Amino acid sequence: MKSVKAFSFPLFSIIFFAVIIITLSLSLAANAEEIGSVTITGNWVNIRSGPGLDYSKVHTLPEGTVLPALKSQNGWYNVVLPSGQKGWVIDDYAELKYSTSSETGNNLKVKVNGQEVKFDTQPFIDKNDRTMVPIRFVAEELGAVVGWNEDEQKVSIVLGDKKVFLWIEKKSVQVNDSRIEIDTQPIIKNERTMVPLRFVSEAFGATVGWDGKNNTVTIELKNKDVGGIDASSKKKVATITGNIVNIRSGAGVNFTRIDQFPAGTELEVLDEGVDSEGRTWYKVKLPLESQGWIAGWLVDISIIEDDGATNNSVDSPRNLRRKALVIGNVVNIRSGPGLGYEVISQVSKGDSLLVLGSSNEWYEVRLNDGSQGWIHGSLVSIQSVNPSRGSSTREDYLSTLPKVDEELDYPAIQNVILKDTGHGVEILIQGNEPLQHSAFVLQNPKRLVIDIPGTKVALAEESLEQSFDNKFVKSIRVGQFEEDTSRIVIDLLTPVSYNVEELFDGEVLSFFLQKSSLQGKVIVIDPGHGSLQPGNWADPGAIGPAGTHEADVVLEIAKKTAAILNSQGATVIMTRTGDTALSLAGRAAVANDMDADIFVSIHANANPNPAVNGSSVYYYASDWNSTASNQRAEREKLARLIQYYIVKYAATRDEGIIERGFKVLRETEMPSVLVETAFITNPREEKLLASEAFQNKLAQGIAQGISSYFLE
């Protein structure tokens, strides 16, 4: 009995203290700051330990369950379970209702100049009756520049000559050089800096009102050109020096891209500002009377006389010549800039359309029949039109080149010339018949090698080796590499990106070399398969009818792709250079750990039907994955560009881009794609995949797609 009594007391004590601890836990949970309540809308919904599908399941709850909500993060709600434990539920199967306490959003809306602002963190009215909003979203609408100092917990807002500084959880603010006290304080909520809307707006000359019927704060900013260039007999002009440069909705790379313009375009400067890193940006006048911001380091600024003339046409930027290269398969042309407008025509991949103007993410284009319409920016690649390519006829164009003997009775290379455009160089290879080509880059020293099969060199001896004085090319050497193959070697002075165009049915090849868009980029290339298995054998991937292993050919393609990207200044990391112990998750982790800019996995496709052939590129941007979903436009853009250039260079059948949840795409934190180069189960494509020439073409296509993706 003694032993029983001795055991009973501690057990009772343990139970007693456990009850106290649980009660305290529930009390603390109840007292935690709540933003509202979440109602489960799915049938049976998993609650997880963190905001993502990869976190462990901690509970499952039925439809209609109501839980206190603590915060919202990347499409997930942090909730308190009936036990007091905290967990996370995805917003696809839950509905958040904000609290009706004094700190409430209560479906509060904000409109700037009549346009409703969309927030990822709900505005709320704080305990001082002040409307608090995430500053970046309103600042973007106002056209201001926002900066953040982590050490001082200070947010800065700059618009024209007005500067406002606020400190987190402090009522003291600074407007230019004056310090004042306000009756509330900025806070950080849901990882967003929330500031008093009225104070910030009125500081920049806006009028703030309240529409009680619609629960809406209204902001009217009559003159968004605060601190702009003073109207006089002179005006400031920005001449674009980058190849193709983005125009953004605010002064910083984090703002939305609204347009693009090529090198040489001149835009009138309306205002000047700085981004959060102190770099200069210019507000510029765009076609259709719109405005945007351009990076100061991508333009040259000059002052010119203003003759007072007005030009409201869509071609108001000087030297504006742009074309939209269609990268979607079959794309609708609409009567206006939006999905609500009527479809008036269709265009196909590879069509090149003259750009007339733009509105938000839409471009007005001229079709081949002379009619006009609008196309969405995600379905085209905007390119500059080089002056040397602007002639309307073959005769006009060829008249600019040296005269050649066109009476040769064999396919020949008759001209290799260089034209310096100032922002790049165009190398023109002229033949007397349509030319085929393959190109690759070699290192130490850097050189671009172009082979033209089925031709002989027919250049004058003095043209076989030419030296140049520009920042891209040191010299060009032309010779007969093999009996039926001409070779052009371009000795490079710096890493370059290049694009190839066939002119006049392929009789002229144009290689346009420019400053590399890949300088400083970190790119992870993942050759598929080749993973070591139990028993120390490596996964060969799919095996072709002749015994070709997928793992072997994609490794060769990946190495060739990496060599091209390295030659253009990129830092390339291969997940394997032989067999590897990395799992699929491990391959994605390499990219995540290296903070890579993009991830590209290279494979060869397979199908039980040996007749199936072609190339495709996969991407993933499901709403179930907040990181991927937020990158949808970038992931799809990367897939479209790589697919376009693979088909262009390797001449494979276009199977398009496909959204699919492959593990390496789900788990990468940056834009990522999986390339299916060709079908190894197709006898013809298996033979091609095993050939070095075809591997070079695939590598060139993948690399060109990547290079085009990074073009500003």
Side-chain angles (χ1 to χ4, degrees), residues 244 259-260 262 320-328 331 333 347-358 361-368 373-385 501 641 644-645:
I244 296 179
D259 209 337
Q260 290 180 318
L320 172 57
R321 291 209 50 157
R322 296 183 293 170
K323 64 181 180 181
L325 182 67
V326 179
I327 59 178
V331 179
I333 301 295
V347 291
S348 301
K349 177 178 285 189
D351 288 348
S352 183
L353 312 172
L354 180 65
V355 176
L356 303 176
S358 61
E361 296 182 354
W362 291 77
Y363 291 96
E364 186 177 21
V365 294
R366 178 174 291 133
L367 306 183
N368 294 331
W374 292 82
I375 190 169
H376 194 267
S378 66
L379 301 172
V380 295
S381 173
I382 301 300
Q383 302 180 349
S384 60
V385 179
E501 287 191 39
L641 287 170
Y644 171 76
Y645 283 106

Side-chain angles (χ1 to χ4, degrees), residues 12 54-55 58 92 112 130 138 183 228 279 292 346 404 459-460 498 504-505 528 538 660 662 693:
F12 173 79
D54 295 333
Y55 287 90
V58 298
D92 288 347
V112 177
R130 295 301 179 192
V138 173
D183 59 3
R279 298 179 298 185
Q346 287 186 324
V404 296
L459 273 69
Y498 66 89
F504 307 111
D505 298 322
R660 191 71 54 79
F662 292 118

Side-chain angles (χ1 to χ4, degrees), residues 319-345:
N319 299 339
L320 172 57
R321 291 209 50 157
R322 296 183 293 170
K323 64 181 180 181
L325 182 67
V326 179
I327 59 178
N329 287 326
V330 178
V331 179
N332 290 331
I333 301 295
R334 297 183 180 271
S335 60
L339 294 174
Y341 289 88
E342 176 189 4
V343 176
I344 59 174
S345 185

Side-chain angles (χ1 to χ4, degrees), residues 589-645:
V590 169
N592 295 337
D593 293 344
M594 296 303 298
D595 195 23
D597 292 290
I598 62 169
F599 173 94
V600 178
S601 188
I602 301 177
H603 291 253
N605 218 335
N607 193 287
N609 182 354
V612 175
N613 64 91
S615 303
S616 55
V617 178
Y618 290 81
Y619 71 101
Y620 174 74
S622 170
D623 290 341
W624 285 89
N625 183 312
S626 57
T627 298
S629 178
N630 291 338
Q631 295 172 358
R632 170 172 289 277
E634 293 302 306
R635 289 179 176 227
E636 186 174 349
K637 173 186 173 184
L638 179 61
R640 284 191 183 280
L641 287 170
I642 291 178
Q643 174 70 4
Y644 171 76
Y645 283 106

Side-chain angles (χ1 to χ4, degrees), residues 252-271:
V253 295
N254 56 305
F255 288 92
T256 305
R257 189 187 77 185
I258 59 175
D259 209 337
Q260 290 180 318
F261 290 98
T265 303
E266 296 180 357
L267 303 168
E268 182 181 354
V269 176
L270 304 173
D271 198 358

Side-chain angles (χ1 to χ4, degrees), residues 29-36 68-70 80 99 101 103 189:
N31 291 331
E33 181 184 358
E34 298 175 7
I35 61 171
L70 302 180
V80 182
S99 168
S101 66
E103 248 186 52
K189 186 170 186 175

